[in-house]
């Protein structure tokens, strides 16, 4: 993204990797999110080859971002409300830190973290 800085007369470029890192951290801040990772999900590309899915992907078109975040959630979490909180937190964090408009935040739950019972008798 290029943003003109009128006071200095320069430009600002923000890499999509930076947006992905902001989105990852914002997702991890939501209670019930154990990790941000893609898991074992594989996606076929246009040529039919299987490409590993990224934990956070950002599509930037005309200075508008669409972000996809893959989560591992805690067992017992209410997944729909947790995902809504992730969407809100990711969108507001990216927009507040970068002034880039976020049109969508897609959330994929790629795993669930089940607590292990260590008190076996």
């Amino acid at each position: 993204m290029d943003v003109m800085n009128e006071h200095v007369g320069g430009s600002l470029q923000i890499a999509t990797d930076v947006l992905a890192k902001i989105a990852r951290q914002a997702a991890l801040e939501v209670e019930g999110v154990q990790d941000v990772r893609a898991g074992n999900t594989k996606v076929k590309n246009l040529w039919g080859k299987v490409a590993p899915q990224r934990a956070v992907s950002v599509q930037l078109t005309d200075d508008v971002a669409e972000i996809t975040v893959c989560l591992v959630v805690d067992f017992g979490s209410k997944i729909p409300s947790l995902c809504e909180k992730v969407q809100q937190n990711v969108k507001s964090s990216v927009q507040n830190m970068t002034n880039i408009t976020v049109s969508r935040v897609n959330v994929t739950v790629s795993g669930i973290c089940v607590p292990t019972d260590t008190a076996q008798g």
Side-chain angles (χ1 to χ4, degrees), residues 25-94:
Q25 187 60 40
L28 287 170
E29 291 173 355
V30 176
E31 187 176 342
V33 174
Q34 182 68 31
D35 198 3
V36 176
R37 69 172 183 250
N40 295 329
T41 307
K42 305 267 191 229
V43 177
K44 286 188 178 183
N45 62 19
L46 293 174
W47 299 275
K49 294 185 179 183
V50 175
Q53 187 178 13
R54 297 182 68 166
V56 180
S57 63
V58 178
Q59 297 292 322
L60 195 58
T61 308
D62 298 326
D63 297 335
V64 176
E66 182 174 328
I67 301 170
T68 301
V69 182
C70 297
L71 305 177
V72 175
V73 300
D74 289 333
F75 181 80
S77 297
K78 295 191 183 300
I79 294 175
S81 61
L82 181 141
C83 290
E84 186 177 329
K85 289 176 187 171
V86 168
Q87 289 171 316
Q88 292 169 351
N89 205 39
V90 167
K91 183 175 183 174
S92 66
S93 293
V94 170

